[in-house]
Amino acid sequence: MSNYSALDFTPLVELSADEVVTHSYVRDVPLSDGKTLALVTLDNGRDHTRPNTLGPITLLEFAMTMDLLRERAALGDIHGVAVTGKPFILAAGADLSKVSEIPSLASGKLLAQLGHYALGKQADLGVPSFVFINGLALGGGLEIALNADYRTVDETVPAIALPEVSLGLIPGWGGSYLLPNLIGIESALKVIIENPLKHRVLKAADAMELGIADVQFASARFLEQSIQWADGVVSGKTKVARPHAPGKVERLVKWDVAVGVARKMLENRIGTVARSPYIALDLLKAAKSGTRQEGFEREDDSLAELIAGDQLQASIYAFNLVQKRAKRPAGAPDKALARPIKKVGVIGAGLMASQFALLFVRRLRVPVVITDLDQARVDKGVAYIHGEILTLETKKRISPDEANRLRALVTGTTDKSQFADADWVIEAVFEKLGVKQDVFAEIEKHISPDAILATNTSSLSVEQIGAKLAHPERLVGFHFFNPVAIMPLIEVVNTPQTNDATLSTAMVVAAKLRKNAVITRDTPGFVVNRLLAKLLGEAMHAVDTGTPFDVVDGSLAKFGMPMTPFELLELVGLKVGAHVLDTHHAAFPDRFFESANLHKLAEYGTILERDAKGKIKGFDKGAVKIVAGGQTPMTAEQILRRVEDGLADEIKRMLDDGVVHAAEDIDLCMILGANWPFQMGGITPYLDRVGASERVFQGTFHTPAIRGVGAEALPVARTTATTVGD
């Protein structure tokens, strides 16, 4: 890596005064035939809750350590070098908080070059280099291993990954070049592109199957056996095959085809706004040829460009929301006030209610009783829950004994007296105010004075739902998102009557369900539905005034949403969407549109035309005919401006009214409840960046605004050959 040795990394050190340094501790381990292995252990001196991370000082110490070992190898003092980590952890990659503080494009490139300079030294030691993956290996942690000659892995390692593209980055310390040349392009695409976007990681067995690791050992003797295996490699007794490495045919034929397929997958799944996945694709395509140094230099330029850009800052902001703020919800009362939940009652036995019951019994492991209007509905609901438990058992996600225990905990009845000992009762009945009021008024006659009542309403006033209760202080909104088992957000709705014990219980229950809860005021639509109603209402208003469906869809592509407005409307259901728009128009008639056309489309049944496999072909001709007649169509630019300014206005009103505690809570809700893209940072950073906040209220939601350093981007090395499938 001589191209890097002349660089001055001092500016990065000056930015790292408070770095938690991961030190490189060396000890000599005797091998057979009088040979010696230098074993480097990475350790930041903290326990497992603070993983090893790789900052500038850490990387420079690692580089210095490798230089000293290279000198010893040249003298014949050592015959191999191995790197491993402190217990349970190799390394978790770069410290994102430090990456986000990089002040310029030049500094960003220097950080990329420093990673290559340090980790790449493992290839120039003059003796075999090994990494013993003893635990967590994420991002730069895995790239430590990829830069070495050989890799072993502890069979219990739970997380091996290159998650960078989900955070607005790319594997920039060798991963984008080394991995495809180690395991082939298709497997590399899975690790670098597909898995991060699905929030998946590899386990040790996966790393072995893909060819990332050469051998795995049991945890009890992992280090000992890794050293013995390395001894065999050093002595020449152990030969290492690389069956997954790409051959000539793969490079000539399969490589570009695989990249082209991946590109189409990305376009269909996430659109084209997110930059890092596509830059990673370009790097992977280019990795089929050229030298290691050329590959690393491409990574340097690409990583520098991304570090300097808006999307990284937004992604780190979103990451911190999900990893930190979500775990310490704003406004949550003392957990000590929460009441113990020893039995759960579910009112309703339909699909949503049954999903609730399944989630509660799996996570809380307490008896769950469901009820409905008649025994047939109750039996159907219980059968569904038992069937889902059987599916989990069949897929070996739970054991037969656990499945039997869970089934035994779920019962159904039409006798409300069986709710008498329930501590938590949640309803999932028809979204009509009178129906929910009557259901709660009836069940209150049968439950204990301390039982908590929860409603899953998505649009009605929780306070009004409790109007017929003798004790409305025990009622709380508990709004799930569908599908219940997957979506991570619960909006916990705090009414003027809700007491602290009820609110605390709701927050504790949400955490036990492994959900992230955000406390909201009792206002129409709470957070997610209110903002989606604004966006979808503006989209339908544009259609109603004569704007073609495709113009509306294209106008909002800049948001980077995984679905277009009309895909989203069809997903939630056109009738549900029409009801949501009506509800918000009734509450805020001067700001939210209702749409007679949407009601007509709901009766018609569809907006989009799909083929036999469900793939969207375009807009249904009947739907186009239904909405025809508008005389004042808008341009795409006008629609985008209306939506941006409308959202900025609505969010400012929500914050002024105390619907949530801060803009961060708005973003957390939109990320977790509406799949708003990480690279946008939720919604408020985007509105600041495009000037909507300034246009609407002459300010910003964040000071300073969450954006990149603003330097001119370096030209990023790109392959110019046409990709097959483009």
Side-chain angles (χ1 to χ4, degrees):
M1 296 297 115
S2 58
N3 292 37
Y4 296 120
S5 59
L7 294 172
D8 179 11
F9 297 111
T10 304
L12 295 179
V13 175
E14 292 172 349
L15 296 171
S16 306
D18 58 347
E19 177 182 335
V20 177
V21 178
T22 298
H23 295 288
S24 298
Y25 297 105
V26 182
R27 67 183 176 96
D28 288 354
V29 178
L31 302 178
S32 60
D33 300 326
K35 295 181 177 179
T36 300
L37 176 75
L39 180 64
V40 181
T41 300
L42 304 177
D43 193 341
N44 64 3
R46 308 292 180 90
D47 65 19
H48 67 281
T49 62
R50 181 64 190 258
N52 294 332
T53 52
L54 308 176
I57 298 174
T58 295
L59 290 169
L60 287 169
E61 181 177 319
F62 184 86
M64 185 184 303
T65 301
M66 292 297 120
D67 286 341
L68 293 172
L69 293 176
R70 187 173 187 273
E71 292 175 6
R72 292 183 62 193
L75 296 172
D77 189 24
I78 58 173
H79 306 86
V81 174
V83 177
T84 193
K86 70 180 184 180
F88 312 113
I89 292 166
L90 179 60
D95 185 339
L96 285 178
S97 66
K98 297 303 176 189
V99 175
S100 67
E101 295 172 1
I102 295 294
S104 67
L105 188 69
S107 297
K109 184 169 183 177
L110 197 61
L111 180 62
Q113 292 168 323
L114 174 56
H116 284 129
Y117 167 73
L119 304 187
K121 286 180 177 290
Q122 294 173 96
D124 295 326
L125 292 169
V127 294
S129 59
F130 305 84
V131 170
F132 303 154
I133 306 173
N134 66 307
L136 183 82
L138 302 178
L142 178 54
E143 286 173 303
I144 295 172
L146 293 175
N147 275 277
D149 299 325
Y150 305 98
R151 289 154 291 280
T152 71
V153 65
D154 184 321
E155 66 179 12
T156 65
V157 172
I160 298 171
L162 293 172
E164 285 88 345
V165 300
S166 68
L167 295 169
L169 293 168
I170 49 96
W173 288 345
S176 297
Y177 176 82
L178 296 172
L179 188 66
N181 284 293
L182 176 68
I183 66 174
I185 186 60
E186 290 182 341
S187 294
L189 286 165
K190 178 179 179 180
V191 176
I192 292 176
I193 304 291
E194 181 182 343
N195 283 359
L197 296 179
K198 293 182 177 179
H199 304 292
R200 292 177 179 171
V201 297
L202 303 173
K203 295 184 178 180
D206 303 317
M208 278 297 300
E209 182 179 347
L210 291 175
I212 294 173
D214 297 307
V215 63
Q216 70 176 2
F217 298 114
S219 185
R221 298 181 58 218
F222 172 70
L223 182 58
E224 177 187 350
Q225 290 184 304
S226 292
I227 292 170
Q228 290 173 353
W229 184 83
D231 191 358
V233 173
V234 169
S235 68
K237 296 176 183 177
T238 299
K239 304 297 182 184
V240 180
R242 293 279 163 75
H244 302 279
K248 186 175 181 180
V249 173
E250 177 172 343
R251 293 183 190 277
L252 290 176
V253 180
K254 292 176 60 179
W255 201 286
D256 286 355
V257 173
V259 172
V261 170
R263 191 178 302 275
K264 288 296 183 185
M265 178 274 292
L266 280 177
E267 290 171 355
N268 291 332
R269 183 160 180 236
I270 66 169
T272 58
V273 173
R275 301 185 65 228
S276 58
Y278 291 98
I279 291 177
L281 270 185
D282 289 343
L283 291 171
L284 287 167
K285 182 176 181 178
K288 74 174 181 178
S289 60
T291 66
R292 179 187 181 107
Q293 182 64 33
E294 288 169 342
F296 285 8
E297 288 173 359
R298 287 192 294 267
E299 291 180 4
D300 291 337
D301 288 344
S302 297
L303 191 58
E305 180 188 356
L306 290 168
I307 287 174
D310 291 338
Q311 291 190 3
L312 171 65
Q313 297 296 333
S315 295
I316 292 176
Y317 166 77
F319 178 83
N320 286 332
L321 290 181
V322 172
Q323 295 297 319
K324 297 177 181 179
R325 190 174 183 89
K327 293 174 173 57
R328 295 186 290 274
D334 189 343
K335 293 179 182 179
L337 298 174
R339 292 170 183 161
I341 305 299
K342 299 178 181 178
K343 181 177 179 179
V344 171
V346 179
I347 305 174
L351 180 60
M352 182 67 80
S354 298
Q355 289 183 68
F356 290 168
L358 179 65
L359 181 65
F360 277 97
V361 76
R362 284 197 69 199
R363 299 300 184 221
L364 301 188
R365 306 298 175 94
V366 299
V368 175
V369 57
I370 68 173
T371 190
D372 212 314
L373 296 174
D374 55 61
Q375 193 63 42
R377 298 186 198 199
V378 170
D379 292 344
K380 184 178 179 181
V382 172
Y384 169 84
I385 299 163
H386 285 182
E388 291 297 299
I389 293 171
L390 177 61
T391 299
L392 292 170
E393 180 185 356
T394 303
K395 293 181 177 180
K396 297 185 178 180
R397 293 176 61 186
I398 59 175
S399 68
D401 286 345
E402 184 177 0
N404 288 333
R405 285 194 295 270
L406 294 179
R407 278 190 286 267
L409 288 171
V410 178
T411 58
T413 183
T414 57
D415 180 6
K416 304 298 190 297
S417 67
Q418 292 194 30
F419 280 61
D421 56 345
D423 307 296
W424 175 277
V425 178
I426 186 169
E427 65 79 19
V429 299
F430 194 61
E431 190 78 348
K432 288 289 185 182
L433 180 60
V435 173
K436 293 182 185 286
Q437 287 177 333
D438 292 343
V439 158
F440 274 142
E442 171 64 22
I443 205 69
E444 191 177 31
K445 300 173 184 176
H446 301 279
I447 60 176
S448 72
D450 293 332
I452 305 296
L453 294 173
T455 172
N456 182 52
T457 184
S458 60
S459 59
L460 300 174
S461 164
V462 177
E463 183 179 12
Q464 290 180 24
I465 288 173
K468 295 183 179 180
L469 289 174
H471 296 285
E473 70 279 359
R474 60 170 164 188
L475 176 64
V476 66
F478 207 70
H479 180 219
F480 286 88
F481 291 80
N482 209 15
V484 170
I486 296 173
M487 295 300 285
L489 178 67
I490 295 176
E491 291 174 324
V492 173
V493 185
N494 184 23
T495 79
Q497 281 76 37
T498 304
N499 63 26
D500 282 352
T502 299
L503 189 60
S504 175
T505 305
M507 298 301 287
V508 169
V509 167
K512 289 182 177 179
L513 295 177
R514 302 180 192 174
K515 301 293 186 183
N516 297 299
V518 174
I519 297 173
T520 83
R521 269 191 60 209
D522 186 19
T523 58
F526 315 130
V527 174
V528 175
N529 281 349
R530 182 165 168 179
L531 295 180
L532 290 181
K534 187 65 180 176
L535 186 151
L536 297 175
E538 290 288 350
M540 277 309 305
H541 175 65
V543 170
D544 293 342
T545 58
T547 312
F549 283 123
D550 59 337
V551 173
V552 178
D553 262 1
S555 71
L556 301 179
K558 189 177 178 182
F559 283 110
M561 295 290 286
M563 292 183 182
T564 69
F566 302 111
E567 286 180 85
L568 181 57
L569 270 173
E570 287 203 340
L571 177 68
V572 302
L574 299 181
K575 290 184 178 180
V576 172
H579 172 70
V580 169
L581 295 196
D582 289 347
T583 300
H584 285 80
H585 175 72
F588 312 112
D590 57 327
R591 305 198 306 277
F592 284 79
F593 293 105
E594 59 185 346
S595 174
N597 276 334
L598 184 53
H599 282 278
K600 294 175 185 177
L601 290 168
E603 291 301 319
Y604 179 67
T606 188
I607 296 176
L608 299 164
E609 181 183 2
R610 301 175 186 268
D611 63 19
K613 296 182 179 180
K615 186 176 180 180
I616 297 171
K617 296 171 61 178
F619 292 96
D620 183 89
K621 293 178 181 177
V624 172
K625 186 176 180 180
I626 286 171
V627 302
Q631 299 299 311
T632 55
M634 303 182 201
T635 66
E637 292 75 17
Q638 288 171 327
I639 297 167
L640 178 62
R641 176 65 67 93
R642 283 186 62 90
V643 172
E644 289 174 346
D645 290 1
L647 288 170
D649 175 66
E650 206 59 37
I651 293 170
K652 182 65 164 60
R653 291 172 185 270
M654 293 165 73
L655 294 174
D656 289 346
D657 292 343
V659 174
V660 291
H661 285 76
E664 287 81 358
D665 297 314
I666 297 279
D667 294 318
L668 187 59
C669 284
M670 298 308 288
I671 291 166
L672 298 180
N675 287 321
W676 213 269
F678 247 56
Q679 78 271 4
M680 305 303 284
I683 187 169
T684 63
Y686 168 84
L687 296 174
D688 285 348
R689 287 195 301 272
V690 299
S693 310
E694 184 67 33
R695 290 193 299 266
V696 171
F697 59 89
Q698 294 73 55
T700 56
F701 292 111
H702 303 277
T703 304
I706 297 166
R707 61 170 71 247
V709 295
E712 291 182 2
L714 284 173
V716 177
R718 298 276 198 272
T719 175
T720 56
T722 301
T723 300
V724 176
D726 279 3

